[in-house]
Amino acid sequence: MFCLLSVPFAALAQEAESPEQAAVRLNAGKPAQPGTSAADDDSDGGGNTETRTRRGQRASEAPPRFEIDLSAPDEATQSFLLRHMELQRYRQQRSLDANELGRLLVQTPENLKELLATLGHFSPKVTVTAPPGLGEATLNDRYGGGAGTTGSLGTVTVRVEPGPVTQVTSVNVSFVGDIADSPAAAQQRADIQREAGLIAGLPFTQADWNATKAVALRRLLAQRYPLGRLQNSLADIDAEAHQARLYIELDSGRAMRMGEVKVQGAERYDAITVERLVRLSGLEPGSDYDLAKMQDAQRRLAESGYYDAVFVYVDPTPESETLPVLVQLRESKRQKVVIGVGGSTDNGARLSLEHTHNSVPGVGWRALSKLQLERNDRLASTDWSSPPDDDGWRKIVGAQAARQLDDFTTTTSQRLRVGQTQLGVEYDRAFYLQYDRAQVVNSVMRNAATEGADSAISANYAWTRRRFDDLIFPHQGYGLAVELGAGYTLGSTRLPFGRTNARWLTYWPLGNVSAAAEPEPGQAREVTATRRTDMGRLALRVEGGAVVARDDAPIPETQLFITGGDNTVRGYGLRDIGVRRPDGTIGPGRYKAVVSLEWQRPIWNDDNRSNWENVVFIDGGAVSNKAGDLKPVWGVGTGIRFNSPVGPLQLDLAYGLETKRLRIHLNVGFTF
């Protein structure tokens, strides 16, 4: 036997109606009976309101007119059928009589078979047994002389055997319109077919079928074809073989191209900045329509700091030759002050004060000034940046003064920076000149000969690339950041030096792709091409740095390296790993090496992947003044991750093998 299924069943599309709505539908087309229904509801011709209230109270307190005893093979199917079956809607109906219940029972098997078909059961056995003595029930048995029935009509017994579940054997997607034979759309066609085919081999459900069609249409609308539509769909069900062959036909219409940028809401800040950021996302006039590029443009505008709300969209019509890019803005105030309170396991409580000026008078640059106070650190800084040019470059000027306390050693430093930077989704680049000055003082062992300030000037280039599958919850991919610098020390001893620092982070998925979680009946599976693997992933982090100069070159300490803490080598405190000074304190050195290997494993709950993860890790790090003297110290531990909407929340317990101490480390979010 073959069954063609092409539309969702109405039983799942509507919510349970109220008893009053059920009464209207049940009695529609019937003549009103004396003393019932229409006259019993709320229409008493302006009668006593108190009487109507008492009737409503009695109705809410009245027992069900009949009970339902439904038996199914599993609790989930039973709950689904009880929630959606048509008979359930009439249990509280006061005016329901035996004849009407009998008529409903005749329709119940067909209703349940339709519901079971949405779960993939097309050959079920359904038995409905009426309450004993149903034919003897009368219509005159009422509460209060006509206000309600006097008793229950009994219990309706339903027995359900769903039968074998139908499996999806194939999913075929066909195309009409420009996409059918356009070489430029070949990859788009392949992506649509691949994603639609993910449900092949899984049990057929109406929810999965609807979700598959929706995903295919979204893929079509995402590139080139904003006027695309689902032209036809068909589920060809072979109930005897328990197989489903699915067909989708998509009509793309014609390909459309982007037009000029139109900005609405630009008052405080120049609209040319908006147009530049939109073009930097690839939305050039004449380029193919691309939803991802529009979302990137919206992200760039939102992250620029000039706008509180951004909406980038197009308004396609069949008559349009091009699609103007419409940008609606709600601008941020010119100035903003933020007071922050926080803390870390490395540096204790933190208090910060930030002031932002989005358009400094006279220059139009954006200025961000910050004051931050922690247990051992003090920081004051200001960073100015110009609006981006046509290539996305911004001029930058910054100044920073800092004071940090390590045991009895206080390091006071100042930094000035001028250059330009280009920030992107995958790449960041920067060129800048930097002046550094640092002074180190030991409050216990004062030595005037060693307490002079060292200073230097350097030219630097920084480059970062991110190739993660997700910038908030990465599962695979890598990131690489490199800094190169060359400069001269200042003061009485002027010597050249070179500096480099590099970071690498990569994720490797482990195991097989996790099976799609079994959903509640009536809900779609989470079937995507980017499902996570069942054994989690390995994260490898490697860092290295070097300052090359003569031994007697007075390099400022802020240009050297020190490590340890939450984001470097766990099991050790902030700046615990460095070079031991003559006074016994720990200071920075000219060479650095850090490595970390972490296994991030999912935590499962009833065979479903939860938002929690367990991790085990080993970290190692070393700092020295000579490359041959690098001797790593190690930390091992375990922890948990919670994947919150704002990013992963991390809590680790680490043991330092060198110090033989346990430390707790806390971190929020993912950045590279």
Side-chain angles (χ1 to χ4, degrees):
M1 180 179 70
F2 291 88
C3 171
L4 301 184
L5 183 66
S6 60
V7 294
F9 287 99
L12 298 182
Q14 56 193 38
E15 295 294 328
E17 59 194 19
S18 66
E20 290 75 13
Q21 292 171 320
V24 172
R25 184 160 56 79
L26 183 65
N27 295 319
K30 294 176 53 182
Q33 299 295 324
T36 64
S37 194
D40 278 349
D41 287 338
D42 294 333
S43 303
D44 59 358
N48 193 317
T49 303
E50 183 180 354
T51 301
R52 293 199 303 272
T53 303
R54 287 198 301 269
R55 289 175 182 171
Q57 292 172 344
R58 285 200 301 270
S60 63
E61 297 169 359
R65 191 71 176 98
F66 62 90
E67 299 289 349
I68 300 175
D69 177 16
L70 189 148
S71 175
D74 57 83
E75 184 178 345
T77 301
Q78 179 190 45
S79 176
F80 172 78
L81 295 176
L82 284 173
R83 186 166 61 250
H84 293 289
M85 66 187 299
E86 194 75 14
L87 190 62
Q88 186 72 253
R89 304 172 183 226
Y90 299 95
R91 292 182 61 235
Q92 299 291 342
Q93 179 55 41
R94 293 177 297 166
S95 60
L96 185 73
D97 59 31
N99 290 333
E100 291 167 335
L101 178 57
R103 187 165 59 252
L104 290 172
L105 296 184
V106 172
Q107 301 169 358
T108 296
E110 190 63 29
N111 172 237
L112 291 174
K113 289 179 180 179
E114 289 184 353
L115 290 173
L116 289 167
T118 68
L119 303 182
H121 302 285
F122 290 92
S123 54
K125 295 180 181 179
V126 179
T127 303
V128 179
T129 304
L134 180 64
E136 301 174 2
T138 66
L139 295 174
N140 297 321
D141 195 9
R142 308 283 186 182
Y143 281 117
T149 55
T150 58
S152 172
L153 292 174
T155 299
V156 177
T157 303
V158 182
R159 297 293 178 261
V160 174
E161 296 180 17
V165 66
T166 297
Q167 301 289 326
V168 178
T169 58
S170 63
V171 183
N172 181 268
V173 183
S174 59
F175 302 92
V176 296
D178 181 82
I179 192 175
D181 52 11
S182 171
Q187 186 60 50
Q188 188 176 5
R189 293 194 300 269
D191 289 342
I192 293 173
Q193 180 66 67
R194 177 175 53 84
E195 290 204 23
L198 291 174
I199 63 171
L202 296 176
F204 172 87
T205 69
Q206 187 68 35
D208 285 352
W209 178 217
N210 292 341
T212 297
K213 292 183 287 187
V215 169
L217 182 58
R218 282 200 298 270
R219 276 285 189 180
L220 175 67
L221 299 176
Q223 288 180 280
R224 299 182 185 86
Y225 308 108
L227 294 175
R229 64 189 182 93
L230 178 65
Q231 179 161 288
N232 198 8
S233 65
L234 177 68
D236 184 1
I237 307 296
D238 185 344
E240 294 180 356
H242 313 299
Q243 294 179 346
R245 289 177 290 275
L246 309 181
Y247 302 90
I248 300 172
E249 186 177 52
L250 298 174
D251 181 3
S252 68
R254 62 187 179 87
M256 304 197 75
R257 299 185 178 277
M258 309 306 294
E260 297 294 330
V261 179
K262 297 183 178 180
V263 182
Q264 301 174 6
E267 297 177 358
R268 297 188 183 98
Y269 314 118
D270 197 342
I272 192 65
T273 299
V274 177
E275 296 174 10
R276 287 172 176 169
L277 290 174
V278 169
R279 286 197 296 270
L280 288 170
S281 298
L283 297 179
E284 295 281 354
S287 62
D288 287 335
Y289 166 81
D290 193 318
L291 179 60
K293 291 180 179 179
M294 293 176 58
Q295 292 171 338
D296 179 55
Q298 185 166 293
R299 181 197 60 81
R300 285 176 180 265
L301 290 168
E303 292 179 355
S304 68
Y306 294 107
Y307 311 105
D308 289 333
V310 181
F311 187 34
V312 180
Y313 66 102
V314 296
D315 187 13
T317 63
E319 298 79 19
S320 302
E321 291 298 326
T322 59
L323 297 173
V325 181
L326 307 177
V327 182
Q328 291 184 347
L329 306 168
R330 187 174 76 241
E331 296 179 319
S332 300
K333 296 184 180 300
R334 289 187 184 275
Q335 298 189 63
K336 178 175 64 175
V337 175
V338 176
I339 299 176
V341 177
S344 69
T345 51
D346 276 339
N347 221 351
R350 177 174 61 249
L351 175 66
S352 63
L353 176 66
E354 293 185 7
H355 173 261
T356 302
H357 199 307
N358 281 318
S359 184
V360 177
V363 293
W365 287 25
R366 186 168 185 262
L368 173 61
S369 302
K370 181 177 182 179
L371 176 65
Q372 181 170 296
L373 306 177
E374 296 181 282
R375 180 176 56 200
N376 294 325
D377 293 353
R378 305 288 188 270
L379 173 70
S381 66
T382 183
D383 293 290
W384 294 38
S385 61
S386 70
D389 62 18
D390 290 337
D391 295 321
W393 287 94
R394 300 171 184 262
K395 296 180 176 62
I396 55 172
V397 175
Q400 173 183 297
R403 178 180 178 272
Q404 66 185 47
L405 176 65
D406 298 291
D407 296 326
F408 302 107
T409 302
T410 301
T411 303
T412 305
S413 64
Q414 299 83 38
R415 172 178 294 170
L416 298 175
R417 178 179 292 182
V418 58
Q420 56 181 352
T421 183
Q422 184 187 53
L423 303 180
V425 178
E426 184 174 338
Y427 294 96
D428 293 344
R429 292 184 291 176
F431 300 90
Y432 55 90
L433 289 175
Q434 182 168 296
Y435 168 78
D436 290 273
R437 181 180 182 275
Q439 183 179 28
V440 180
V441 175
N442 188 306
S443 59
V444 176
M445 302 177 62
R446 303 300 296 265
N447 187 341
T450 62
E451 290 183 2
D454 297 323
S455 58
I457 189 168
S458 60
N460 300 270
Y461 171 71
W463 178 88
T464 301
R465 186 181 189 186
R466 308 175 191 86
R467 290 296 302 272
F468 300 106
D469 61 338
D470 191 313
L471 292 178
I472 299 178
F473 304 108
H475 184 66
Q476 61 183 348
Y478 66 88
L480 175 64
V482 178
E483 299 174 21
L484 299 173
Y488 262 86
T489 61
L490 303 178
S492 58
T493 305
R494 298 191 176 187
L495 294 172
F497 69 93
R499 184 181 188 275
T500 182
N501 188 37
R503 295 179 294 124
W504 168 270
L505 174 63
T506 186
Y507 289 93
W508 290 302
L510 297 178
N512 299 318
V513 174
S514 301
E518 195 64 29
E520 291 293 322
Q523 298 180 359
R525 291 177 176 82
E526 187 180 352
V527 181
T528 66
T530 57
R531 294 206 308 273
R532 301 301 176 93
T533 51
D534 53 9
M535 294 182 63
R537 58 201 172 275
L538 284 178
L540 174 65
R541 173 169 47 89
V542 178
E543 300 179 26
V547 173
V548 181
R550 281 175 40 176
D551 291 345
D552 58 344
I555 310 294
E557 292 213 350
T558 50
Q559 286 277 24
L560 304 179
F561 304 102
I562 196 167
T563 190
D566 295 342
N567 297 307
T568 54
V569 183
R570 288 161 289 187
Y572 300 86
L574 181 67
R575 301 188 293 267
D576 271 0
I577 302 173
V579 175
R580 190 165 296 278
R581 297 187 179 103
D583 59 10
T585 60
I586 299 296
R590 295 189 175 190
Y591 294 89
K592 175 188 72 171
V594 174
V595 63
S596 172
L597 183 63
E598 182 174 276
W599 182 13
Q600 303 170 355
R601 304 180 297 170
I603 296 175
W604 298 83
N605 181 19
D606 295 332
D607 296 327
N608 292 323
R609 187 183 185 121
S610 72
N611 288 328
W612 293 87
E613 295 179 333
N614 169 246
V615 302
V616 290
F617 58 84
I618 178 170
D619 296 345
V623 174
S624 73
N625 281 325
K626 294 185 179 296
D629 293 339
L630 288 171
K631 294 181 174 57
V633 296
W634 299 94
V636 297
T638 185
I640 57 173
R641 303 282 187 276
F642 176 69
N643 294 322
S644 74
V646 298
L649 307 180
Q650 309 173 23
L651 178 64
D652 298 324
L653 179 64
Y655 179 74
L657 300 182
E658 183 76 14
T659 59
K660 296 180 172 55
R661 292 180 55 190
L662 287 170
R663 294 186 67 94
I664 293 176
H665 298 273
L666 179 66
N667 203 7
V668 179
F670 169 79
T671 57
F672 184 86

